[in-house]
Amino acid sequence: MDPGPAANRSGSTAVAGLMKPIDEQHIAEPGLVVLDITGGDEDTVRAVMAALEERWATSGVGPVRRDPGEPGVRARIYADVLRPGRGGP
């Protein structure tokens, strides 16, 4: 019996096979994170990415993807939570 995915796992993961896998080298330094965002529509997901960009140094508002047969849209953003974003000092 497979209990499903682990809550915290190391190694590579990918969202619905459309985004590049995340591996330990992407987030090897303290403060670096990869956030996969899922929302009901493009405007909501873009607003979340813009808000994160104000708080932390990020990769910026990126492309939004729609997976065929799945509700909502997805996007990925990379952030350094130790460095302030555009809204920081």
Side-chain angles (χ1 to χ4, degrees):
M1 181 168 153
D2 182 9
N8 293 313
R9 75 179 116 160
S10 62
S12 292
T13 62
V15 174
L18 295 176
M19 294 185 180
K20 292 182 180 180
I22 301 168
D23 61 44
E24 292 180 28
Q25 290 181 341
H26 281 105
I27 53 173
E29 295 183 35
L32 299 180
V33 297
V34 180
L35 302 166
D36 288 330
I37 302 165
T38 303
D41 58 67
E42 265 191 57
D43 290 339
T44 300
V45 170
R46 290 187 186 283
V48 169
M49 287 191 288
L52 292 170
E53 188 175 42
E54 290 292 321
R55 180 176 179 102
W56 298 318
T58 72
S59 57
V61 176
V64 176
R65 295 170 173 79
R66 186 173 301 276
D67 296 335
E70 295 290 324
V73 294
R74 292 177 173 78
R76 176 172 287 171
I77 191 167
Y78 300 86
D80 182 342
V81 300
L82 300 179
R83 291 183 23 213
R86 293 184 311 177

